[in-house]
């Protein structure tokens, strides 16, 4: 009996570890994405960028494996039946953020857009805000599993950064469409801007749900 | 044990069956309903601990009940238990909060009146004070436990998954403790009136020696277990969450509060220890496990601002204090008359 209980707790520890690792993947992918984007602005579609893009793909794949493991183990061990659905939804949403990073990085690699230098600074600022937003989502979600009071603090940061990224995107779009670039070029840059900003939007949606889960779970 | 005795005992066994079907759903209903525990696991734990509690801890409350009225004829005991069982059954059908403890007290007083025996008013007052204190105390304990455990969880930053596992373990342990206490406290309701007429011999089994009273309690506890296995799952499914939708955490607090209250009102050792320390001791009286649950839920509900509390349930508790014993008393009195005059059975010894 004692052995069974100990091994049950060991399985739970293993699952806790996997949930932690999934959060680590968000922070990791965000940092690699930032590095890759800076490199893209300097070198465009270079071998170095390709390596970073592959690294992003690997992180995304690892996160998928973790997500599937977490989902199946939650059912297999019959854990948290009363709010398993919420946790599964949260894990799915975290994975969507990771997928978006991968998609945007891959899109840069495929389309290899020409980004005029005058927009570089603002673009870096946008990526910085979006990445910080995703990282704070990871912190908020990690806190959800251990410390409810901290969720609110990180969530406020996500809201603030998402709002800032919206403003930066709007300014950039305005500047691009006021420029002498070809319409096709303008539209391509606009699409990229929207895709980068989408990462922050996904993080914001995820935090919205997270705060509802906190209210539901407040014992 | 003769067939006649078994026939007369059947009303007590029926009362035990309904106790198992209804009261155990209060203990494990939320845990099974929220899928924290499987029904079979809950039923096995409940049955084992009910039997242990009844056989080894049931004497205290039984003594109090026999001080209220010593039902001295088997046919009389049969009718006291049957009238209690019928009242509980019909009250439950009409949705009124009731308890076997209150019903059996009404039945014994009914028998006292019919047999012309005096009812010990001091004992009656002691028993009734237990009914009032039980939900109040349960509410207070639940509030204290809620504060303590919530602070502990918030301070310790325990991972949600580990919290869940600990909670599951807590539900099993508190459920076991609670069913033990339920067996100890409520077996008097089921079998108490048959103690004087028990035809058993003392039995020795290894280290243990079982008195006739304990053998009788064992039979009653087996009837409770049958109630658990045959009907409590249905009760859990239909009324499991009707008082208030409970999270597993709240369910754990409610079960633990209920267990502590039942234990306080049934532990002879604790009673003696408190008296030895010159402290006021809890009366050893059978109390209602349902009302202990309601008290605990109301306590937590009030702590959370009183939203969502169904105040009509509070009124039902108070109404139950009067309607259940009075109804049982009337049924018992009238039925004893028929039993004696129509069936020519001796329902009391002068």
């Amino acid at each position: 009996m004692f052995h069974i209980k100990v091994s049950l707790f060991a399985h739970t520890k293993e699952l806790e570890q996997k949930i932690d690792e999934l959060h680590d993947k968000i922070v990791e992918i965000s940092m690699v994405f930032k590095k890759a984007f800076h490199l893209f602005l300097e070198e465009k579609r270079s071998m170095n960028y390709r390596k970073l893009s592959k690294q992003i793909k690997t992180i995304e794949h690892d996160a998928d494996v973790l997500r599937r493991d977490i989902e199946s183990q939650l059912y297999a061990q019959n854990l948290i039946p009363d709010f398993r659905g919420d946790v599964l939804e949260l894990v799915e949403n975290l994975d969507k953020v990771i997928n978006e990073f991968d998609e945007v990085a891959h899109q840069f690699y495929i389309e290899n857009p020409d980004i005029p230098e005058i927009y570089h600074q603002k673009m870096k600022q946008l990526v910085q805000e979006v990445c910080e937003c995703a990282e704070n989502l990871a912190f908020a979600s990690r806190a959800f599993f251990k410390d409810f009071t901290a969720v609110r603090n990180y969530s406020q940061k996500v809201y603030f950064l998402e709002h800032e990224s919206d403003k930066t995107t709007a300014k950039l779009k305005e500047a691009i469409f006021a420029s002498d670039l070809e319409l096709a070029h303008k539209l391509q840059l606009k699409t990229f801007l929207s895709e980068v900003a989408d990462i922050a939007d996904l993080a914001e949606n995820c935090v919205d749900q997270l705060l509802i889960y906190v209210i539901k779970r407040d014992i | 044990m003769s067939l006649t005795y078994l026939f007369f005992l059947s009303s007590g066994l029926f009362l035990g069956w309904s106790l198992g079907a209804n009261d155990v759903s209060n203990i494990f209903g939320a845990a099974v309903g929220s899928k924290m525990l499987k029904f079979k696991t809950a039923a096995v734990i409940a049955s084992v601990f009910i039997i242990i509690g009844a056989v080894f801890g049931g004497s205290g409350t039984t003594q109090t009940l026999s001080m209220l009225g010593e039902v001295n004829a088997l046919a009389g005991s049969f009718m006291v238990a049957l009238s209690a069982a019928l009242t509980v059954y019909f009250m439950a059908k009409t949705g009124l909060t009731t308890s076997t403890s209150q019903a059996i007290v009404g039945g014994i007083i009914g028998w006292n009146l019919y047999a012309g025996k005096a009812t010990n008013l001091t004992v009656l007052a002691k028993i009734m004070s237990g009914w009032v204190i039980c939900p109040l105390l349960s509410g207070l304990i639940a509030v204290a436990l809620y504060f303590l455990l919530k602070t502990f969880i918030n301070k310790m930053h325990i991972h949600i998954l580990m919290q869940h596992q600990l909670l599951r373990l807590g539900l099993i342990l508190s459920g076991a403790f609670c069913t033990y206490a339920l067996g100890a406290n409520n077996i008097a309701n089921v079998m108490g009136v048959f103690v004087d007429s028990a035809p058993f011999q003392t039995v020795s089994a290894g280290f243990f020696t079982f008195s006739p009273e304990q053998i009788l309690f064992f039979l009653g506890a087996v009837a409770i277990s049958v109630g658990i296995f045959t009907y409590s799952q249905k009760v859990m499914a239909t009324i499991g969450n009707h008082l208030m939708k409970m999270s597993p955490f709240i369910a754990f607090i409610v079960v633990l509060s209920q267990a502590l209250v039942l234990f306080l009102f049934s532990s002879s050792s604790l009673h003696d220890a408190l008296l030895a320390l010159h402290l006021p001791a809890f009366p050893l009286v059978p109390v209602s496990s349902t009302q202990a649950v309601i008290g605990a839920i109301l306590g937590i509900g009030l702590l959370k601002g009183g939203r969502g509390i169904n105040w009509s349930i509070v009124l039902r508790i108070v109404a139950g204090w009067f309607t259940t014993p009075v109804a049982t008393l009337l049924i018992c009195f009238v039925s004893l008359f028929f039993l004696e005059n129509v069936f020519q059975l001796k329902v009391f010894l002068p």
Side-chain angles (χ1 to χ4, degrees), chain A residues 8-9 12 78-83 145-147 217 219, chain B residues 34-35 146 150 157 159-165 168 248:
Chain A
L8 196 65
F9 283 124
T12 312
N78 190 25
L79 287 166
I80 47 174
D82 50 330
F83 70 112
F145 288 92
K146 279 187 177 173
D147 179 12
R217 273 283 297 165
I219 45 181
Chain B
S34 62
K35 298 192 175 76
Y146 181 85
K150 197 179 176 187
H157 300 316
H159 197 280
I160 277 181
L161 299 179
M162 193 51 78
Q163 273 183 45
H164 166 88
Q165 292 292 45
R168 184 177 274 172

PDB file of all heavy atoms in Angstrom, chain A residues 8-9 12 78-83 145-147 217 219, chain B residues 34-35 146 150 157 159-165 168 248:
ATOM      1  N   LEU A   8       2.649   6.520  -6.754  1.00  0.00           N
ATOM      2  CA  LEU A   8       1.626   7.431  -7.266  1.00  0.00           C
ATOM      3  C   LEU A   8       2.121   8.876  -7.193  1.00  0.00           C
ATOM      4  O   LEU A   8       1.984   9.655  -8.128  1.00  0.00           O
ATOM      5  CB  LEU A   8       0.355   7.266  -6.419  1.00  0.00           C
ATOM      6  CG  LEU A   8      -0.921   7.834  -7.003  1.00  0.00           C
ATOM      7  CD1 LEU A   8      -1.287   7.085  -8.269  1.00  0.00           C
ATOM      8  CD2 LEU A   8      -2.057   7.691  -6.002  1.00  0.00           C
ATOM      9  N   PHE A   9       2.757   9.205  -6.070  1.00  0.00           N
ATOM     10  CA  PHE A   9       3.301  10.551  -5.919  1.00  0.00           C
ATOM     11  C   PHE A   9       4.458  10.770  -6.891  1.00  0.00           C
ATOM     12  O   PHE A   9       4.647  11.871  -7.397  1.00  0.00           O
ATOM     13  CB  PHE A   9       3.759  10.796  -4.471  1.00  0.00           C
ATOM     14  CG  PHE A   9       2.619  11.061  -3.526  1.00  0.00           C
ATOM     15  CD1 PHE A   9       2.428  10.310  -2.390  1.00  0.00           C
ATOM     16  CD2 PHE A   9       1.723  12.087  -3.777  1.00  0.00           C
ATOM     17  CE1 PHE A   9       1.371  10.544  -1.530  1.00  0.00           C
ATOM     18  CE2 PHE A   9       0.649  12.340  -2.935  1.00  0.00           C
ATOM     19  CZ  PHE A   9       0.479  11.566  -1.804  1.00  0.00           C
ATOM     20  N   THR A  12       3.081  11.685 -10.186  1.00  0.00           N
ATOM     21  CA  THR A  12       2.588  13.064 -10.149  1.00  0.00           C
ATOM     22  C   THR A  12       3.750  14.040 -10.274  1.00  0.00           C
ATOM     23  O   THR A  12       3.664  15.034 -10.989  1.00  0.00           O
ATOM     24  CB  THR A  12       1.821  13.300  -8.822  1.00  0.00           C
ATOM     25  OG1 THR A  12       0.921  12.238  -8.649  1.00  0.00           O
ATOM     26  CG2 THR A  12       1.086  14.607  -8.836  1.00  0.00           C
ATOM     27  N   ASN A  78      -5.992   9.796 -13.739  1.00  0.00           N
ATOM     28  CA  ASN A  78      -7.263  10.315 -13.221  1.00  0.00           C
ATOM     29  C   ASN A  78      -7.044  11.490 -12.272  1.00  0.00           C
ATOM     30  O   ASN A  78      -7.603  11.556 -11.181  1.00  0.00           O
ATOM     31  CB  ASN A  78      -8.041   9.189 -12.523  1.00  0.00           C
ATOM     32  CG  ASN A  78      -9.450   9.585 -12.175  1.00  0.00           C
ATOM     33  OD1 ASN A  78     -10.022  10.482 -12.817  1.00  0.00           O
ATOM     34  ND2 ASN A  78     -10.029   8.978 -11.154  1.00  0.00           N
ATOM     35  N   LEU A  79      -6.197  12.420 -12.726  1.00  0.00           N
ATOM     36  CA  LEU A  79      -5.867  13.565 -11.867  1.00  0.00           C
ATOM     37  C   LEU A  79      -6.834  14.720 -12.092  1.00  0.00           C
ATOM     38  O   LEU A  79      -7.383  14.868 -13.188  1.00  0.00           O
ATOM     39  CB  LEU A  79      -4.442  14.032 -12.154  1.00  0.00           C
ATOM     40  CG  LEU A  79      -3.335  13.113 -11.640  1.00  0.00           C
ATOM     41  CD1 LEU A  79      -1.996  13.474 -12.247  1.00  0.00           C
ATOM     42  CD2 LEU A  79      -3.240  13.187 -10.117  1.00  0.00           C
ATOM     43  N   ILE A  80      -6.971  15.555 -11.071  1.00  0.00           N
ATOM     44  CA  ILE A  80      -7.813  16.753 -11.076  1.00  0.00           C
ATOM     45  C   ILE A  80      -9.069  16.630 -11.960  1.00  0.00           C
ATOM     46  O   ILE A  80      -9.275  17.434 -12.862  1.00  0.00           O
ATOM     47  CB  ILE A  80      -7.003  18.019 -11.451  1.00  0.00           C
ATOM     48  CG1 ILE A  80      -6.131  17.756 -12.684  1.00  0.00           C
ATOM     49  CG2 ILE A  80      -6.167  18.511 -10.305  1.00  0.00           C
ATOM     50  CD1 ILE A  80      -5.423  19.010 -13.204  1.00  0.00           C
ATOM     51  N   PRO A  81      -9.923  15.621 -11.674  1.00  0.00           N
ATOM     52  CA  PRO A  81     -11.094  15.430 -12.548  1.00  0.00           C
ATOM     53  C   PRO A  81     -12.022  16.639 -12.586  1.00  0.00           C
ATOM     54  O   PRO A  81     -12.682  16.877 -13.589  1.00  0.00           O
ATOM     55  CB  PRO A  81     -11.801  14.223 -11.935  1.00  0.00           C
ATOM     56  CG  PRO A  81     -11.289  14.117 -10.545  1.00  0.00           C
ATOM     57  CD  PRO A  81      -9.897  14.661 -10.563  1.00  0.00           C
ATOM     58  N   ASP A  82     -12.040  17.417 -11.483  1.00  0.00           N
ATOM     59  CA  ASP A  82     -12.989  18.529 -11.430  1.00  0.00           C
ATOM     60  C   ASP A  82     -12.586  19.700 -12.322  1.00  0.00           C
ATOM     61  O   ASP A  82     -13.430  20.487 -12.705  1.00  0.00           O
ATOM     62  CB  ASP A  82     -13.192  19.007  -9.981  1.00  0.00           C
ATOM     63  CG  ASP A  82     -11.890  19.267  -9.265  1.00  0.00           C
ATOM     64  OD1 ASP A  82     -10.889  18.594  -9.588  1.00  0.00           O
ATOM     65  OD2 ASP A  82     -11.864  20.128  -8.375  1.00  0.00           O
ATOM     66  N   PHE A  83     -11.310  19.852 -12.632  1.00  0.00           N
ATOM     67  CA  PHE A  83     -10.958  20.938 -13.552  1.00  0.00           C
ATOM     68  C   PHE A  83      -9.891  20.510 -14.548  1.00  0.00           C
ATOM     69  O   PHE A  83      -9.095  21.301 -15.015  1.00  0.00           O
ATOM     70  CB  PHE A  83     -10.604  22.224 -12.786  1.00  0.00           C
ATOM     71  CG  PHE A  83      -9.323  22.190 -12.029  1.00  0.00           C
ATOM     72  CD1 PHE A  83      -8.253  22.980 -12.419  1.00  0.00           C
ATOM     73  CD2 PHE A  83      -9.186  21.405 -10.908  1.00  0.00           C
ATOM     74  CE1 PHE A  83      -7.072  22.933 -11.718  1.00  0.00           C
ATOM     75  CE2 PHE A  83      -8.014  21.372 -10.199  1.00  0.00           C
ATOM     76  CZ  PHE A  83      -6.946  22.137 -10.617  1.00  0.00           C
ATOM     77  N   PHE A 145      -0.268  27.016 -11.334  1.00  0.00           N
ATOM     78  CA  PHE A 145      -0.162  25.677 -10.745  1.00  0.00           C
ATOM     79  C   PHE A 145       0.336  25.690  -9.304  1.00  0.00           C
ATOM     80  O   PHE A 145       0.228  24.688  -8.613  1.00  0.00           O
ATOM     81  CB  PHE A 145       0.762  24.795 -11.602  1.00  0.00           C
ATOM     82  CG  PHE A 145       0.131  24.405 -12.902  1.00  0.00           C
ATOM     83  CD1 PHE A 145       0.326  25.170 -14.047  1.00  0.00           C
ATOM     84  CD2 PHE A 145      -0.695  23.302 -12.991  1.00  0.00           C
ATOM     85  CE1 PHE A 145      -0.272  24.829 -15.250  1.00  0.00           C
ATOM     86  CE2 PHE A 145      -1.296  22.942 -14.182  1.00  0.00           C
ATOM     87  CZ  PHE A 145      -1.093  23.712 -15.314  1.00  0.00           C
ATOM     88  N   LYS A 146       0.935  26.819  -8.868  1.00  0.00           N
ATOM     89  CA  LYS A 146       1.518  26.808  -7.522  1.00  0.00           C
ATOM     90  C   LYS A 146       1.112  27.983  -6.640  1.00  0.00           C
ATOM     91  O   LYS A 146       1.071  27.852  -5.414  1.00  0.00           O
ATOM     92  CB  LYS A 146       3.044  26.805  -7.632  1.00  0.00           C
ATOM     93  CG  LYS A 146       3.610  25.439  -7.912  1.00  0.00           C
ATOM     94  CD  LYS A 146       5.118  25.476  -7.829  1.00  0.00           C
ATOM     95  CE  LYS A 146       5.682  24.084  -8.039  1.00  0.00           C
ATOM     96  NZ  LYS A 146       7.124  24.079  -8.127  1.00  0.00           N
ATOM     97  N   ASP A 147       0.898  29.151  -7.248  1.00  0.00           N
ATOM     98  CA  ASP A 147       0.718  30.343  -6.433  1.00  0.00           C
ATOM     99  C   ASP A 147      -0.259  31.296  -7.131  1.00  0.00           C
ATOM    100  O   ASP A 147       0.141  32.123  -7.959  1.00  0.00           O
ATOM    101  CB  ASP A 147       2.096  31.009  -6.241  1.00  0.00           C
ATOM    102  CG  ASP A 147       2.016  32.276  -5.428  1.00  0.00           C
ATOM    103  OD1 ASP A 147       0.966  32.533  -4.815  1.00  0.00           O
ATOM    104  OD2 ASP A 147       3.012  33.026  -5.400  1.00  0.00           O
ATOM    105  N   ARG A 217     -11.167  28.275  -9.387  1.00  0.00           N
ATOM    106  CA  ARG A 217     -10.417  27.399  -8.487  1.00  0.00           C
ATOM    107  C   ARG A 217     -10.267  27.981  -7.085  1.00  0.00           C
ATOM    108  O   ARG A 217      -9.739  27.326  -6.208  1.00  0.00           O
ATOM    109  CB  ARG A 217      -9.005  27.161  -9.046  1.00  0.00           C
ATOM    110  CG  ARG A 217      -8.897  26.026  -9.990  1.00  0.00           C
ATOM    111  CD  ARG A 217      -8.891  24.689  -9.289  1.00  0.00           C
ATOM    112  NE  ARG A 217      -7.744  24.529  -8.400  1.00  0.00           N
ATOM    113  CZ  ARG A 217      -7.657  23.601  -7.480  1.00  0.00           C
ATOM    114  NH1 ARG A 217      -8.634  22.778  -7.294  1.00  0.00           N
ATOM    115  NH2 ARG A 217      -6.586  23.504  -6.713  1.00  0.00           N
ATOM    116  N   ILE A 219     -10.559  28.357  -3.733  1.00  0.00           N
ATOM    117  CA  ILE A 219     -11.235  27.409  -2.830  1.00  0.00           C
ATOM    118  C   ILE A 219     -11.893  28.085  -1.642  1.00  0.00           C
ATOM    119  O   ILE A 219     -11.458  28.924  -1.061  1.00  0.00           O
ATOM    120  CB  ILE A 219     -10.251  26.326  -2.325  1.00  0.00           C
ATOM    121  CG1 ILE A 219      -8.919  26.954  -1.894  1.00  0.00           C
ATOM    122  CG2 ILE A 219     -10.038  25.301  -3.407  1.00  0.00           C
ATOM    123  CD1 ILE A 219      -7.894  25.981  -1.409  1.00  0.00           C
TER     124      ILE A 219
ATOM    125  N   SER B  34     -17.417  13.846  -7.685  1.00  0.00           N
ATOM    126  CA  SER B  34     -16.385  14.602  -8.419  1.00  0.00           C
ATOM    127  C   SER B  34     -15.317  13.672  -8.990  1.00  0.00           C
ATOM    128  O   SER B  34     -14.286  14.120  -9.452  1.00  0.00           O
ATOM    129  CB  SER B  34     -15.745  15.647  -7.508  1.00  0.00           C
ATOM    130  OG  SER B  34     -15.107  14.995  -6.418  1.00  0.00           O
ATOM    131  N   LYS B  35     -15.568  12.372  -8.933  1.00  0.00           N
ATOM    132  CA  LYS B  35     -14.689  11.327  -9.485  1.00  0.00           C
ATOM    133  C   LYS B  35     -13.323  11.283  -8.803  1.00  0.00           C
ATOM    134  O   LYS B  35     -12.349  10.807  -9.366  1.00  0.00           O
ATOM    135  CB  LYS B  35     -14.521  11.503 -10.996  1.00  0.00           C
ATOM    136  CG  LYS B  35     -15.824  11.378 -11.771  1.00  0.00           C
ATOM    137  CD  LYS B  35     -15.543  11.269 -13.260  1.00  0.00           C
ATOM    138  CE  LYS B  35     -16.801  11.027 -14.044  1.00  0.00           C
ATOM    139  NZ  LYS B  35     -17.639  12.192 -14.204  1.00  0.00           N
ATOM    140  N   TYR B 146     -11.333  25.339   7.444  1.00  0.00           N
ATOM    141  CA  TYR B 146     -11.224  26.044   6.161  1.00  0.00           C
ATOM    142  C   TYR B 146     -10.105  27.085   6.230  1.00  0.00           C
ATOM    143  O   TYR B 146      -9.250  27.169   5.358  1.00  0.00           O
ATOM    144  CB  TYR B 146     -12.570  26.698   5.834  1.00  0.00           C
ATOM    145  CG  TYR B 146     -12.596  27.447   4.525  1.00  0.00           C
ATOM    146  CD1 TYR B 146     -12.852  26.775   3.328  1.00  0.00           C
ATOM    147  CD2 TYR B 146     -12.372  28.818   4.470  1.00  0.00           C
ATOM    148  CE1 TYR B 146     -12.881  27.450   2.124  1.00  0.00           C
ATOM    149  CE2 TYR B 146     -12.389  29.500   3.273  1.00  0.00           C
ATOM    150  CZ  TYR B 146     -12.644  28.815   2.097  1.00  0.00           C
ATOM    151  OH  TYR B 146     -12.664  29.494   0.900  1.00  0.00           O
ATOM    152  N   LYS B 150      -6.686  26.518   4.159  1.00  0.00           N
ATOM    153  CA  LYS B 150      -6.498  27.462   3.061  1.00  0.00           C
ATOM    154  C   LYS B 150      -5.186  28.237   3.266  1.00  0.00           C
ATOM    155  O   LYS B 150      -4.417  28.433   2.322  1.00  0.00           O
ATOM    156  CB  LYS B 150      -7.689  28.424   2.975  1.00  0.00           C
ATOM    157  CG  LYS B 150      -7.734  29.118   1.634  1.00  0.00           C
ATOM    158  CD  LYS B 150      -8.887  30.059   1.496  1.00  0.00           C
ATOM    159  CE  LYS B 150      -8.764  30.768   0.160  1.00  0.00           C
ATOM    160  NZ  LYS B 150      -9.730  31.819  -0.008  1.00  0.00           N
ATOM    161  N   HIS B 157       2.585  26.846  -1.258  1.00  0.00           N
ATOM    162  CA  HIS B 157       2.715  26.808  -2.721  1.00  0.00           C
ATOM    163  C   HIS B 157       2.845  25.375  -3.237  1.00  0.00           C
ATOM    164  O   HIS B 157       3.784  25.046  -3.964  1.00  0.00           O
ATOM    165  CB  HIS B 157       3.910  27.636  -3.194  1.00  0.00           C
ATOM    166  CG  HIS B 157       3.815  29.082  -2.812  1.00  0.00           C
ATOM    167  ND1 HIS B 157       2.658  29.809  -2.934  1.00  0.00           N
ATOM    168  CD2 HIS B 157       4.723  29.929  -2.310  1.00  0.00           C
ATOM    169  CE1 HIS B 157       2.864  31.036  -2.518  1.00  0.00           C
ATOM    170  NE2 HIS B 157       4.108  31.141  -2.127  1.00  0.00           N
ATOM    171  N   HIS B 159       2.007  22.316  -5.552  1.00  0.00           N
ATOM    172  CA  HIS B 159       1.558  22.190  -6.939  1.00  0.00           C
ATOM    173  C   HIS B 159       0.125  21.626  -6.966  1.00  0.00           C
ATOM    174  O   HIS B 159      -0.220  20.781  -6.144  1.00  0.00           O
ATOM    175  CB  HIS B 159       2.500  21.251  -7.688  1.00  0.00           C
ATOM    176  CG  HIS B 159       2.387  21.359  -9.178  1.00  0.00           C
ATOM    177  ND1 HIS B 159       1.393  20.745  -9.893  1.00  0.00           N
ATOM    178  CD2 HIS B 159       3.143  22.022 -10.087  1.00  0.00           C
ATOM    179  CE1 HIS B 159       1.548  21.015 -11.180  1.00  0.00           C
ATOM    180  NE2 HIS B 159       2.609  21.792 -11.316  1.00  0.00           N
ATOM    181  N   ILE B 160      -0.652  22.121  -7.914  1.00  0.00           N
ATOM    182  CA  ILE B 160      -2.059  21.704  -8.020  1.00  0.00           C
ATOM    183  C   ILE B 160      -2.191  20.176  -8.070  1.00  0.00           C
ATOM    184  O   ILE B 160      -3.072  19.588  -7.425  1.00  0.00           O
ATOM    185  CB  ILE B 160      -2.697  22.327  -9.284  1.00  0.00           C
ATOM    186  CG1 ILE B 160      -3.157  23.750  -8.984  1.00  0.00           C
ATOM    187  CG2 ILE B 160      -3.868  21.503  -9.777  1.00  0.00           C
ATOM    188  CD1 ILE B 160      -3.822  24.434 -10.143  1.00  0.00           C
ATOM    189  N   LEU B 161      -1.299  19.526  -8.818  1.00  0.00           N
ATOM    190  CA  LEU B 161      -1.407  18.068  -8.962  1.00  0.00           C
ATOM    191  C   LEU B 161      -1.119  17.374  -7.634  1.00  0.00           C
ATOM    192  O   LEU B 161      -1.792  16.406  -7.267  1.00  0.00           O
ATOM    193  CB  LEU B 161      -0.429  17.561 -10.027  1.00  0.00           C
ATOM    194  CG  LEU B 161      -0.654  18.114 -11.429  1.00  0.00           C
ATOM    195  CD1 LEU B 161       0.395  17.564 -12.378  1.00  0.00           C
ATOM    196  CD2 LEU B 161      -2.044  17.767 -11.942  1.00  0.00           C
ATOM    197  N   MET B 162      -0.141  17.886  -6.891  1.00  0.00           N
ATOM    198  CA  MET B 162       0.182  17.285  -5.594  1.00  0.00           C
ATOM    199  C   MET B 162      -0.959  17.565  -4.610  1.00  0.00           C
ATOM    200  O   MET B 162      -1.328  16.696  -3.819  1.00  0.00           O
ATOM    201  CB  MET B 162       1.510  17.861  -5.082  1.00  0.00           C
ATOM    202  CG  MET B 162       2.097  17.103  -3.917  1.00  0.00           C
ATOM    203  SD  MET B 162       2.229  15.322  -4.191  1.00  0.00           S
ATOM    204  CE  MET B 162       3.668  15.243  -5.231  1.00  0.00           C
ATOM    205  N   GLN B 163      -1.520  18.785  -4.715  1.00  0.00           N
ATOM    206  CA  GLN B 163      -2.687  19.114  -3.867  1.00  0.00           C
ATOM    207  C   GLN B 163      -3.791  18.090  -4.087  1.00  0.00           C
ATOM    208  O   GLN B 163      -4.430  17.617  -3.155  1.00  0.00           O
ATOM    209  CB  GLN B 163      -3.245  20.481  -4.267  1.00  0.00           C
ATOM    210  CG  GLN B 163      -2.621  21.669  -3.591  1.00  0.00           C
ATOM    211  CD  GLN B 163      -3.339  22.941  -4.046  1.00  0.00           C
ATOM    212  OE1 GLN B 163      -4.560  23.018  -4.102  1.00  0.00           O
ATOM    213  NE2 GLN B 163      -2.557  23.944  -4.385  1.00  0.00           N
ATOM    214  N   HIS B 164      -3.974  17.780  -5.389  1.00  0.00           N
ATOM    215  CA  HIS B 164      -5.032  16.831  -5.737  1.00  0.00           C
ATOM    216  C   HIS B 164      -4.776  15.469  -5.095  1.00  0.00           C
ATOM    217  O   HIS B 164      -5.690  14.867  -4.514  1.00  0.00           O
ATOM    218  CB  HIS B 164      -5.114  16.693  -7.254  1.00  0.00           C
ATOM    219  CG  HIS B 164      -5.920  15.525  -7.702  1.00  0.00           C
ATOM    220  ND1 HIS B 164      -7.273  15.588  -7.897  1.00  0.00           N
ATOM    221  CD2 HIS B 164      -5.569  14.247  -7.930  1.00  0.00           C
ATOM    222  CE1 HIS B 164      -7.714  14.398  -8.240  1.00  0.00           C
ATOM    223  NE2 HIS B 164      -6.695  13.566  -8.278  1.00  0.00           N
ATOM    224  N   GLN B 165      -3.531  14.996  -5.199  1.00  0.00           N
ATOM    225  CA  GLN B 165      -3.221  13.672  -4.642  1.00  0.00           C
ATOM    226  C   GLN B 165      -3.384  13.668  -3.126  1.00  0.00           C
ATOM    227  O   GLN B 165      -3.895  12.715  -2.545  1.00  0.00           O
ATOM    228  CB  GLN B 165      -1.787  13.251  -5.007  1.00  0.00           C
ATOM    229  CG  GLN B 165      -1.581  12.982  -6.492  1.00  0.00           C
ATOM    230  CD  GLN B 165      -2.313  11.744  -6.977  1.00  0.00           C
ATOM    231  OE1 GLN B 165      -3.484  11.527  -6.652  1.00  0.00           O
ATOM    232  NE2 GLN B 165      -1.658  10.931  -7.779  1.00  0.00           N
ATOM    233  N   ARG B 168      -7.016  13.634  -2.309  1.00  0.00           N
ATOM    234  CA  ARG B 168      -7.604  12.308  -2.504  1.00  0.00           C
ATOM    235  C   ARG B 168      -7.318  11.421  -1.291  1.00  0.00           C
ATOM    236  O   ARG B 168      -8.200  10.742  -0.775  1.00  0.00           O
ATOM    237  CB  ARG B 168      -7.026  11.696  -3.782  1.00  0.00           C
ATOM    238  CG  ARG B 168      -7.627  10.366  -4.129  1.00  0.00           C
ATOM    239  CD  ARG B 168      -7.075   9.851  -5.429  1.00  0.00           C
ATOM    240  NE  ARG B 168      -7.799  10.351  -6.587  1.00  0.00           N
ATOM    241  CZ  ARG B 168      -7.421  10.160  -7.841  1.00  0.00           C
ATOM    242  NH1 ARG B 168      -6.333   9.517  -8.117  1.00  0.00           N
ATOM    243  NH2 ARG B 168      -8.147  10.628  -8.833  1.00  0.00           N
ATOM    244  N   PRO B 248     -13.783  19.336  -4.281  1.00  0.00           N
ATOM    245  CA  PRO B 248     -13.219  18.273  -3.436  1.00  0.00           C
ATOM    246  C   PRO B 248     -12.617  18.834  -2.142  1.00  0.00           C
ATOM    247  O   PRO B 248     -12.682  18.180  -1.100  1.00  0.00           O
ATOM    248  CB  PRO B 248     -12.134  17.664  -4.324  1.00  0.00           C
ATOM    249  CG  PRO B 248     -12.612  17.905  -5.714  1.00  0.00           C
ATOM    250  CD  PRO B 248     -13.299  19.236  -5.666  1.00  0.00           C
TER     251      PRO B 248
END
